[in-house]
Amino acid sequence: MAADPKPLKLWDRDKGKAVEEFMPDHQTTYETRPLRAPGQWLRATPLFDKLYALYQDAPWTRRSIEPFVREYKIDMSEFEERRYRSYADWFVREFKPDARRFPADPAVMGAPAEARYFGWERFGPDQRFPVKGQSLAAEDILGNAERAKPFLGGPVLLMRLSPVDYHHVHYPDAGRTVDQQRLGRSLWTVTWPAVRSMPDLYIRNERQVNILETEHFGRLGFVEFGALTVGRIVQRHSLDQPFARGVQKSVFKFGGSAVAIFGEPGAWRPADDILRHTPEGMETIVRLGEPVATSLRGA
């Protein structure tokens, strides 16, 4: 019999203390090796993803919204007031216009996602990123070694969006997209227990890789990861058009998901609290638009 999922210890920036977070992820989803369990294989297929999405978009799923809001203490006063047609419709709810703001200081990077953050100041040519006992290679995440090469020795931010979070992703700075590619096939959950048991989890998942040329933070490798029941990474801003700081980039359609940002060496530095807690294996809870890095250009 599978054990109950354990709570995750996180650093809550607003409260200034460590907290525990519990999300009811199904244990066998991440403890069985790929394709070994029939149920897991089925849940990882595009067909399941589509059927589950259709189910969650059904009108009767609206009854699940209020219990979820109560259980996880979601402050709905921050979101636009409207009638949601389904649970899936509520999942992609949007903040009221002034609920979140990006920094006025152009040298400060605002959080592109409301999420739990890990950060590294730099990484070497042979380094892989520790994520709860496993590791990720930059070239695998970004698609190839050539694309990863400009970021060697640079900073990294890794964001995990919980099912309770706002699931829209925003641009951290003004700029333009200079390269983009959609990679990956099978979808798997991206909870940290999943990452521990599947070292190559992220490179299996569908992901959108964008190389962004930004005004104040240089070139960024910006990667959005799909996860179980989140195969639909929908781009809200045309990738062939320039973008402004804080503008909505994309939305994840239902479920958990993740985002990674790679920076050029010496271009910027992740926030102190994120760097301080990452070696402890503790993510930092950050709200959309809050400071997550500082530009080192001209420093």
Side-chain angles (χ1 to χ4, degrees):
M1 181 179 295
D4 291 334
K6 295 180 180 179
L8 300 174
K9 192 173 183 180
L10 310 171
W11 181 259
D12 190 314
R13 174 184 281 183
D14 288 346
K15 295 179 180 178
K17 65 178 183 179
V19 298
E20 288 188 338
E21 179 182 71
F22 176 85
M23 290 303 300
D25 296 288
H26 195 279
Q27 202 80 350
T28 56
T29 300
Y30 47 74
E31 286 194 342
T32 314
R33 293 183 63 82
L35 307 184
R36 293 284 179 87
Q40 185 195 30
W41 177 85
L42 176 63
R43 288 191 294 272
T45 62
L47 176 60
F48 175 83
D49 186 59
K50 291 178 182 178
L51 292 175
Y52 196 69
L54 286 173
Y55 171 79
Q56 292 295 350
D57 206 30
W60 60 79
T61 60
R62 291 183 66 252
R63 62 191 177 193
S64 301
I65 297 174
E66 185 57 34
F68 192 88
V69 169
R70 285 199 310 270
E71 182 173 0
Y72 295 104
K73 299 179 175 61
I74 298 172
D75 184 0
M76 289 303 296
S77 69
E78 297 183 318
F79 297 92
E80 293 181 344
E81 296 178 9
R82 67 179 181 87
R83 179 181 173 82
Y84 297 101
R85 67 175 185 275
S86 65
Y87 187 84
D89 185 36
W90 172 81
F91 186 83
V92 295
R93 63 197 179 278
E94 300 206 35
F95 282 125
K96 291 178 179 177
D98 295 325
R100 299 288 187 273
R101 293 187 179 183
F102 276 68
D105 185 347
V108 177
M109 181 189 293
E114 186 126 337
R116 292 100 180 91
Y117 283 67
F118 275 144
W120 296 268
E121 193 167 0
R122 62 182 64 86
F123 71 98
D126 300 318
Q127 184 175 339
R128 296 171 67 90
F129 304 100
V131 183
K132 289 293 183 180
Q134 299 298 338
S135 59
L136 303 171
E139 62 187 68
D140 292 328
I141 296 172
L142 290 163
N144 57 61
E146 191 64 27
R147 189 178 284 143
K149 187 176 180 180
F151 303 111
L152 289 174
V156 181
L157 286 171
L158 181 63
M159 297 149 252
R160 177 179 62 88
L161 285 72
S162 164
V164 303
D165 291 325
Y166 167 81
H167 263 68
H168 299 257
V169 178
H170 294 240
Y171 288 104
D173 194 25
R176 62 190 179 91
T177 303
V178 296
D179 185 23
Q180 65 91 16
Q181 185 179 14
R182 187 175 287 268
L183 300 169
R185 297 176 63 186
S186 295
L187 305 177
W188 303 91
T189 177
V190 292
T191 57
W192 292 135
V195 175
R196 280 200 294 268
S197 63
M198 296 172 63
D200 60 350
L201 173 68
Y202 285 101
I203 63 173
R204 289 174 179 271
N205 277 18
E206 180 181 3
R207 62 203 187 280
Q208 178 71 44
V209 179
N210 295 152
I211 304 301
L212 310 180
E213 189 69 53
T214 66
E215 290 185 3
H216 303 99
F217 302 95
R219 187 160 288 202
L220 304 177
F222 197 101
V223 185
E224 294 140 299
F225 301 95
L228 191 67
T229 72
V230 201
R232 296 160 304 283
I233 305 171
V234 180
Q235 296 297 315
R236 289 288 181 85
H237 183 85
S238 178
L239 297 178
D240 61 359
Q241 295 295 317
F243 49 81
R245 170 181 289 226
V247 165
Q248 190 178 131
K249 179 185 186 297
S250 59
V251 60
F252 291 102
K253 294 285 189 175
F254 193 76
S257 41
V259 178
I261 299 180
F262 291 84
E264 297 171 301
W268 48 274
R269 183 178 185 274
D272 288 342
D273 57 350
I274 297 175
L275 290 176
R276 183 167 59 252
H277 296 295
T278 294
E280 303 168 358
M282 188 185 301
E283 299 162 289
T284 298
I285 301 173
V286 181
R287 291 166 27 129
L288 178 72
E290 288 184 345
V292 290
T294 303
S295 175
L296 299 179
R297 291 185 158 193

